[in-house]
Every structure is written in C-alpha cells, then in structure tokens.
C-alpha cells in the first residue's frame, strides 16, 4: 500500500502545506478537511469547485518512466468522499478544447513499488486533482516551460536524494470568467521545494493563460500562456494562502526574485 497523502518530512525538515483561511460559518466542514491520495493531498475550495491547493512529493530515485505505467483504461472521476456538486466534473470539458489538466502531474506520482505507483497513477485522475487547462500547461513533451519545471530540478547536480516537494493549484480570482456554471481560473501557480547542496530552496511560479473567446467556445481559444517566477509574497496575495511553514524553513534569499520575471527557458530560473 502506498503512503497516503503529502509527507511534510519528505525533505528531512518540516514543510507544511499552504494554510487556507478558516472555514466560514456556511462552508461545508467536509471541504475543510484535506483529501489524501497516494503520494499527494488536495484541499478543495469551499465555493469554486476546484482545488485550493495540491501538495505532493517526488522521489526521483524511485520514479517509474511515465510510459511504463499505462493510463489506458483510467477514467476521470469524482471523489465519492465529498459531494459531487462541490467538484468540477465532466460537464465542463465536454465538446470543447479544454483539457482535463492534472495539478499534481501524473508522471510525478509514479514512484515507490510498482503497486504504489499504479495506485498513485489511478488516484491522479480524480477530478479533485484536475483543473481546466491549456493542453500545454503540464505536458513537458510539448515544450511548455510549465511542464519542464520539475524535470529541470530533478536534473540538477547536487540535488539531494533526487527529491522534490511541490505545492500547486489554480489562482481562484473573483473575476475569473464564468463557463458552464463554474469560473475558469486564468492563472495557475506552483511552488517547487528542494534541497540542493545542503540547503532547502524554493521557487514560486505563476502561469497565465488567455481565455478570450471562451464564452463562444471558439476552437482557437486558450492560445497564449506565460510563466512567471514570482516573490512568495505576491503568490500569497494572489491566492489568499499562507506559506508560513515554508518561510520558516527556507531563507528569504532562496525564494525571492526582485519581482515577477517572465520565464521563457527553465535555465534562466537560477536554481
């Protein structure tokens, strides 16, 4: 049996997931409890029907190649532990060009024993781990910077035990455009945490996408997206989440650029 849920001690120091504001009096208490899966954990937003954050670990030394564990036969599905109406399901993706985009990458979760990796593979297809995304968001094989971030860190010389901790999710802005009963996030965010040369380091990123034309479901919508390296303070402001535990673990010089920096190549990040 795979370990269920995000492991805060994965990098040999305590790094808790982001902290969301306390639930309101009208919020469903079930949605305030994080959902554990094989190698990752999801916290749902009480109103937006999407993940508020997803936390996961990557063990690069025990990682199976993504093509060695088939996704054939896996189906995207609702998690029965929470109400169906609290999740964004198939109706949003039918007969349009929206991808069912994994927040925690399927390929990141395929580690451990073969049985563990298969369990994580299947769990990654719950709609709680899915957001409406451009097809290039997290498909590194198609050349998107977003999908190459984890690959770039795993390839670093000096990366201890080839391990990563990651947090990610949609930026759930109040002015996100409505579509089929949900608001589609214009931005997504990701924080990559790793131990390099004895020090815990972290980088925060925001991805923007162009949603022009969505209401008409034009076949060419979602054409443009850009990835930015951002200060942690800016990410907290945009998401409403607190990364207090990460701040306690990582020195400010390891996580802060001077301001948002457009990333066109992972080599310019300065890991």
């Amino acid at each position: 049996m795979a370990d269920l849920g995000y492991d805060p001690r994965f990098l040999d120091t305590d790094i808790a997931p982001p902290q969301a504001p306390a639930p309101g009096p009208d919020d469903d208490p079930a949605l305030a409890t994080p959902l554990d899966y094989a190698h990752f954990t999801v916290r749902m937003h009480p109103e937006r029907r999407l993940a508020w954050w997803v936390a996961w670990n990557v063990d690069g030394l025990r990682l199976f190649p993504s093509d060695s564990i088939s996704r054939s036969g896996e189906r995207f599905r609702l998690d029965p532990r929470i109400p169906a109406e609290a999740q964004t399901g198939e109706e949003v993706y039918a007969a349009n060009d929206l991808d069912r985009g994994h927040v925690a990458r399927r390929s990141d979760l395929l580690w451990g024993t073969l049985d563990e990796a298969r369990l994580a593979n299947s769990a990654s297809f719950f709609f709680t781990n899915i957001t409406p995304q451009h097809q290039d968001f997290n498909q590194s094989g198609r050349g998107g910077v977003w999908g190459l971030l984890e690959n770039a860190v795993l390839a670093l010389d000096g990366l201890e035990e080839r391990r990563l901790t990651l947090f990610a999710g949609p930026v759930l802005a109040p002015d996100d455009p409505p579509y089929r009963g949900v608001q589609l996030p214009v931005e997504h965010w990701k924080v990559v945490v790793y131990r390099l040369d004895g020090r815990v380091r972290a980088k925060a990123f925001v991805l923007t996408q162009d949603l022009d034309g969505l209401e008409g479901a034009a076949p060419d919508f979602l054409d443009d997206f850009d990835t930015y390296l951002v200060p942690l303070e800016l990410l907290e402001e945009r998401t409403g989440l607190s990364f207090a535990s990460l701040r306690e673990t990582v020195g400010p010089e390891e996580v802060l650029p001077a301001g948002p920096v457009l990333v066109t190549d992972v080599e310019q990040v300065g890991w």
Side-chain angles (χ1 to χ4, degrees), residues 2-266:
D3 292 333
L4 289 181
Y6 165 74
D7 180 1
R9 294 281 310 170
F10 197 70
L11 298 180
D12 295 326
T13 188
D14 286 313
I15 305 175
Q19 293 175 295
D26 298 327
D27 292 339
D28 185 345
L31 300 181
T33 302
L35 301 166
D36 287 336
Y37 304 89
H39 302 323
F40 70 104
T41 295
V42 175
R43 167 72 190 275
M44 295 295 290
H45 191 277
E47 298 174 353
R48 291 290 298 271
R49 301 173 57 192
L50 295 168
W52 210 339
W53 55 258
V54 181
W56 71 101
N57 309 111
V58 182
D59 188 337
L61 293 180
R62 298 197 294 155
L63 197 61
F64 286 86
S66 60
D67 59 358
S68 68
I69 296 178
S70 176
R71 59 185 294 161
S72 176
E74 295 293 345
R75 61 181 182 85
F76 294 94
R77 59 203 187 277
L78 301 175
D79 190 321
R81 293 177 292 177
I82 59 174
E85 60 270 20
Q87 306 172 62
T88 296
E90 189 61 36
E91 66 279 0
V92 174
Y93 303 93
N96 60 27
D97 292 336
L98 280 175
D99 265 12
R100 302 159 189 82
H102 286 67
V103 180
R105 290 199 311 175
R106 184 186 79 93
S107 59
D108 285 352
L109 305 173
L110 306 182
W111 55 269
T113 67
L114 182 58
D115 285 344
E116 289 172 347
R118 285 173 172 166
L119 183 62
N121 175 63
S122 181
S124 75
F125 287 88
F126 278 110
F127 273 118
T128 49
N129 184 46
I130 303 300
T131 62
Q133 294 184 15
H134 183 283
Q135 61 184 359
D136 286 347
F137 264 29
N138 58 1
Q139 298 180 30
S140 60
R142 304 193 63 163
V145 170
W146 189 251
L148 292 171
L149 293 174
E150 291 96 319
N151 302 9
V153 184
L154 284 171
L156 290 175
D157 291 336
L159 182 68
E160 293 187 11
E161 298 185 313
R162 322 313 295 176
R163 288 188 163 206
L164 306 179
T165 279
L166 296 112
F167 308 121
V171 176
L172 302 174
D175 57 351
D176 283 334
Y179 183 70
R180 296 184 181 179
V182 301
Q183 287 180 271
L184 297 186
V186 175
E187 299 174 330
H188 285 70
W189 61 272
K190 182 180 293 184
V191 176
V192 184
V193 191
Y194 53 103
R195 186 182 290 275
L196 185 69
D197 298 329
R199 291 187 298 176
V200 177
R201 307 184 184 192
K203 302 295 183 199
F205 301 88
V206 169
L207 177 74
T208 64
Q209 64 174 325
D210 182 1
L211 292 173
D212 288 347
L214 184 61
E215 283 304 304
D220 58 349
F221 73 81
L222 298 178
D223 285 334
D224 301 315
F225 60 96
D226 292 307
T227 298
Y228 290 87
L229 178 66
V230 300
L232 200 57
E233 286 90 347
L234 177 60
L235 186 59
E236 290 178 322
E237 178 184 327
R238 297 290 295 140
T239 62
L241 299 169
S242 169
F243 292 84
S245 178
L246 185 60
R247 290 179 180 283
E248 295 173 359
T249 305
V250 181
E253 72 281 359
E254 303 291 359
V255 75
L256 290 175
V261 177
L262 178 64
V263 180
T264 58
D265 188 317
V266 292

